[in-house]
Amino acid sequence: MSIDVNVAFAAEKTAQINATRERERAFQARVDRGEIRLIGGDRYEVLTGWDRGEVFTVTYDAQGQIEQILANHGLDSRADGTIALYASSPAWHGLGQIIPGGTTDIDEVLRLSGLDFEVTTVPARYEWEGELREHADQRHTVRTDTGAALGAVGRRYTPIQNRQGFEFLQELVGQYDVVWESAGLVRGGKRVFVSIRLPEAVTVDAGGLNDIVVPYVAVMNDHSGNGQFQCVVTPWRPVCANTERFAVRDAVTRWAVRHTKGAVDEIKEARRTLGLSVRYFEAFAAEETVLARTDIAVREFRQVISELWPLDDDASDRALTNHATRLGALDEGFRRETERVGQTAYAAERAITDYLDHVAPRRPGKTMTEEIARATALLEGADDDIKTKAHQKLMLLRR
């Protein structure tokens, strides 16, 4: 059987062109549907789904056609060059090691996410007049697989190994028939995290709005000496991936321990924190339902904003500009949420949370992108206080 190479080449080229055009049509369709938006240059922001707030860059070839889509994820890489991330479902950028539906095996999670390394401490040494000296009260944390330095710590600091810190969740995974949702590392392994999804979701305003809140447990470990081992119980809304930890009465939403010799035994106390999570989410859903049934006026929303971010009478021009920019972003967020859930205190709370999580300016560190700085601040609860104040002020408006 003979093959006309010219015909074969033409067919292959036509298929490539059609595939490229289809990719561009699909990309433009996402823009038209409001799923992504251009934010400057060739950078786009995801507006919907689990990955809302993430930013990516589109590059084009000489013909102006899409060449590749580059995720600005800010995550580390594993030794083989792949992204240090495990997830039970793929993100929009398709990066990381994905097991559809998740896994219950902690060792597999650690391996796929790049968390299968240990940390040790070594003496802190310095050179003085040609002599190598040792700092008796200070040590350095280093990875045992690469020797990479992670931070400076005191001599009593005892590393909490990744597996030691996370394996207490394995009991929940087996007991409640849940899976590991995600795991990864940032800043070269200075910060690592895992999460699981609790088995029962709660509903805000059942029979009315019916907004589903999915409860998660996220655990973060710090190897740099600048943070604690933390366990956070958080309601994570699938529609926009916001986390909120409000001061619901008697709620236990965060637990932390310092890196000391007895820390591993103390981590068992986290089970008590998780045992209270059901009661927490019931209280959370009740208060959010109150907000969902409280209509408010725009002026009331702006009054709350003015109390959260007060403006001095003698504010500088820069402060006035920043205030106007913030108010514009919050007004737009309130309008958008109002279209979804009505002009309620619940919409106001969503707008404030969304602004803090995805819009408010963040100054990333030297080794972080702005996106990963936002994710880190969100997990660490950097804005918990202002979110709590917003929740409390909006609760006062209930009718």
Side-chain angles (χ1 to χ4, degrees):
M1 178 179 177
S2 62
I3 299 176
D4 188 327
V5 293
N6 294 303
V7 173
F9 175 79
E12 180 180 354
K13 200 64 179 177
T14 298
Q16 291 175 351
I17 292 173
N18 289 338
T20 299
R21 289 175 176 170
E22 179 57 35
R23 185 183 190 186
E24 291 179 338
R25 282 194 293 268
F27 185 82
Q28 186 58 48
R30 294 194 66 191
V31 175
D32 296 339
R33 289 195 301 268
E35 296 176 4
I36 56 178
R37 67 168 178 171
L38 179 67
I39 59 175
D42 296 327
R43 299 174 73 241
Y44 290 80
E45 179 187 13
V46 180
L47 300 177
T48 62
W50 286 99
D51 312 302
R52 181 176 180 177
E54 291 197 45
V55 175
F56 62 92
T57 301
V58 177
T59 63
Y60 298 87
D61 59 22
Q63 287 71 45
Q65 298 174 332
I66 294 177
E67 187 173 40
Q68 57 182 334
I69 297 176
L70 305 173
N72 300 335
H73 47 76
L75 292 165
D76 290 344
S77 296
R78 303 193 306 169
D80 61 3
T82 56
I83 298 302
L85 173 69
Y86 152 80
S88 63
S89 58
W92 62 269
H93 47 61
L95 300 176
Q97 326 321 309
I98 311 300
I99 297 183
T103 179
T104 60
D105 186 344
I106 185 175
D107 291 310
E108 188 170 27
V109 170
L110 296 175
R111 178 180 61 82
L112 293 175
S113 62
L115 299 184
D116 55 345
F117 66 87
E118 293 194 342
V119 175
T120 190
T121 61
V122 297
R125 296 189 171 94
Y126 62 97
E127 186 176 339
W128 181 258
E129 295 182 348
E131 178 186 1
L132 190 62
R133 298 186 179 183
E134 182 175 319
H135 193 313
D137 294 325
Q138 192 174 63
R139 298 178 68 82
H140 291 296
T141 51
V142 299
R143 292 178 56 158
T144 58
D145 58 341
T146 64
L150 301 177
V153 298
R155 60 186 176 85
R156 294 183 178 179
Y157 180 99
T158 302
I160 299 175
Q161 305 301 341
N162 295 333
R163 199 183 195 289
Q164 286 180 316
F166 299 147
E167 64 184 356
F168 79 96
L169 289 177
Q170 185 69 49
E171 180 180 316
L172 291 176
V173 170
Q175 181 179 351
Y176 292 108
D177 192 28
V178 296
V179 299
W180 296 93
E181 288 290 333
S182 64
L185 63 151
V186 297
R187 306 182 197 173
K190 294 180 180 180
R191 297 283 293 174
V192 300
F193 64 89
V194 298
S195 72
I196 64 172
R197 172 177 172 171
L198 294 177
E200 295 184 8
V202 295
T203 303
V204 174
D205 192 17
L209 179 62
N210 284 323
D211 207 14
I212 304 299
V213 177
V214 179
Y216 277 76
V217 176
V219 180
M220 290 80 69
N221 197 7
D222 183 283
H223 296 304
S224 70
N226 295 320
Q228 298 176 305
F229 176 92
Q230 299 183 75
C231 173
V232 175
V233 181
T234 173
W236 195 330
R237 299 176 64 244
V239 295
C240 68
N242 288 341
T243 59
E244 299 100 11
R245 291 180 293 278
F246 298 120
V248 177
R249 183 181 304 170
D250 298 326
V252 179
T253 60
R254 181 186 292 275
W255 179 90
V257 64
R258 297 174 63 85
H259 292 70
T260 59
K261 188 174 182 180
V264 174
D265 290 332
E266 291 183 43
I267 288 175
K268 296 176 182 178
E269 172 64 10
R271 291 193 181 95
R272 187 182 72 85
T273 300
L274 300 180
L276 295 174
S277 61
V278 173
R279 187 174 70 184
Y280 165 69
F281 281 110
E282 289 175 351
F284 172 86
E287 293 203 1
E288 295 300 286
T289 296
V290 169
L291 296 182
R293 295 176 180 177
T294 300
D295 296 332
I296 67 171
V298 173
R299 61 176 176 77
E300 292 176 304
F301 172 68
R302 289 188 172 180
Q303 178 61 34
V304 171
I305 298 306
S306 68
E307 294 173 1
L308 293 175
W309 289 279
L311 185 65
D312 295 333
D313 293 336
D314 58 348
S316 64
D317 290 342
R318 181 177 181 181
L320 290 170
T321 299
N322 292 340
H323 178 79
T325 300
R326 181 191 303 114
L327 181 59
L330 287 162
D331 277 347
E332 172 59 24
F334 184 49
R335 182 198 61 77
R336 185 171 57 247
E337 289 294 337
T338 293
E339 292 178 354
R340 189 178 74 86
V341 300
Q343 193 166 308
T344 63
Y346 188 66
E349 189 175 69
R350 299 280 68 73
I352 293 170
T353 301
D354 183 76
Y355 171 79
L356 290 169
D357 290 347
H358 302 302
V359 181
R362 294 285 180 196
R363 182 175 296 178
K366 294 181 179 179
T367 61
M368 302 173 71
T369 64
E370 184 176 354
E371 288 70 40
I372 206 64
R374 289 187 186 283
T376 302
L378 189 149
L379 281 173
E380 294 176 346
D383 295 317
D384 277 6
D385 286 346
I386 195 167
K387 289 178 181 179
T388 294
K389 290 178 182 177
H391 179 76
Q392 293 171 339
K393 290 181 182 297
L394 290 168
M395 284 294 292
L396 293 175
L397 300 177
R398 64 182 183 270
R399 315 192 226 295

